[in-house]
Amino acid sequence: MSIQDNLSRVQESIADATLRTGRADGSVRLVAVSKFHPADAVLEAIQSGQRLFGENRVQEAEEKFSGVLVHHPDVQLHMIGSLQRNKVAKILPVTSCVQSVDRRELLLEIEKRAALLGKSVDILFEIHTGEESKAGFASEKDLFEAIDLLAECGHTRCSGLMTMAPFTSDETNIRASFRKLVNLQYRCQQEYPALDFSTLSMGMSNDYRIAIEEGSTMVRIGTAIFGERPV
Ligand SMILES: *Cc1c(COP(=O)(O)O)cnc(C)c1O
């Protein structure tokens, strides 16, 4: 199967799940996760019409996308992996959204570097909802303390929440994880009515249909598009 075929199949399946839940076609965005795959794979996906990509490692993302973005200025890259503070300056020039904001210090560094670059960056707060690696905010208190900082951040724009479900075949656990994110979105909207929490980034190759059924607005799919990653 080519990347083009895979993309078509994934897009159809996203459309099916979206319509099945009574939502408008196109209300779930697809992030093509190209980590571990070469720039040629990204270019093939671009030729098939894909414009939004995700990477999880700074060095790799910067090397791959600094060239791609020169030739395709309408392409967007989201950072989806855990991010060290000292790597923020390197990733910001090639990224439009950091989905993995998991602590206050990271938010402040993103704001500082975005201000220096004179650019505006979208962020999602990553929430721990049961996944094994325990990435993300684990308590509402810590999350709200981070959100409070946004009042002083002129270059960092909140657009929602992100999570990873546990890697399991137990659908009940997966759904529980996604529901936690939806509930937290509701709490955030109540507490911070002036901020935008409309994006729910949840769902990967193995669980994106479930995620869409639970209300995802953005799925991050690697394997089902680009094939297995070398380990
Ligand atoms: C790798 C990765 C994905 C994509 O995973 P697949 O199972 O290959 O679809 C999604 N989100 C994050 C945060 C990732 O690191």
Side-chain angles (χ1 to χ4, degrees), residues 4-23:
Q4 177 163 19
D5 291 339
N6 290 342
L7 260 173
S8 308
R9 255 184 317 127
V10 167
Q11 279 157 353
E12 270 174 42
S13 158
I14 290 172
D16 278 353
T18 308
L19 294 176
R20 214 163 357 103
T21 55
R23 285 190 285 159

Side-chain angles (χ1 to χ4, degrees), residues 9-226:
R9 255 184 317 127
V10 167
Q11 279 157 353
E12 270 174 42
S13 158
I14 290 172
D16 278 353
T18 308
L19 294 176
R20 214 163 357 103
T21 55
R23 285 190 285 159
D25 195 15
S27 50
V28 178
R29 294 178 76 198
L30 169 60
V31 181
V33 179
S34 48
K35 65 189 189 194
F36 291 95
H37 294 282
D40 281 350
V42 172
L43 293 174
E44 199 178 328
I46 291 172
Q47 257 132 44
S48 312
Q50 181 66 26
R51 290 294 177 271
L52 177 55
F53 293 87
E55 289 277 344
N56 74 336
R57 295 189 307 182
V58 171
Q59 182 77 20
E60 181 186 345
E62 201 268 335
E63 282 170 10
K64 213 182 291 179
F65 277 85
S66 51
V68 168
L69 290 170
V70 169
H71 297 104
H72 302 278
D74 57 339
V75 162
Q76 290 195 7
L77 175 66
H78 285 192
M79 182 63 194
I80 61 172
S82 79
L83 182 56
Q84 287 171 279
R85 209 154 46 131
N86 63 5
K87 301 271 176 70
V88 170
K90 195 174 170 80
I91 196 67
L92 277 198
V94 294
T95 200
S96 60
C97 177
V98 178
Q99 294 203 6
S100 42
V101 173
D102 59 359
R103 56 200 191 281
R104 302 175 50 172
E105 297 72 29
L106 183 58
L107 179 58
L108 291 173
E109 183 67 14
I110 292 171
E111 171 61 25
K112 179 174 138 194
R113 295 294 172 178
L116 286 171
L117 284 171
K119 94 179 231 182
S120 189
V121 184
D122 285 336
I123 58 144
L124 300 179
F125 290 100
E126 181 173 0
I127 310 298
H128 179 249
T129 58
E131 190 259 344
E132 296 77 7
S133 78
K134 304 227 185 325
F137 286 97
S139 81
E140 191 177 278
K141 176 172 167 287
D142 290 347
L143 173 64
F144 284 2
E145 278 174 17
I147 297 174
D148 286 337
L149 294 175
L150 285 172
E152 282 136 56
C153 294
H155 301 80
T156 313
R157 227 178 11 225
C158 175
S159 59
L161 306 176
M162 182 269 249
T163 200
M164 281 202 269
F167 190 76
T168 168
S169 55
D170 181 354
E171 207 180 297
T172 316
N173 276 348
I174 297 173
R175 281 190 196 279
S177 177
F178 293 148
R179 281 178 194 171
K180 275 187 198 158
L181 201 69
V182 174
N183 288 334
L184 198 54
Q185 177 194 40
Y186 179 74
R187 290 278 303 133
C188 289
Q189 275 165 347
Q190 280 196 317
E191 200 76 16
Y192 302 93
L195 297 181
D196 175 15
F197 287 96
S198 57
T199 300
L200 283 181
S201 174
M202 57 187 204
M204 305 172 34
S205 291
N206 62 318
D207 58 17
Y208 69 93
R209 294 174 199 83
I210 301 173
I212 293 170
E213 285 170 17
E214 296 297 338
S216 169
T217 68
M218 185 178 274
V219 292
R220 310 177 307 269
I221 300 182
T223 311
I225 295 171
F226 296 106

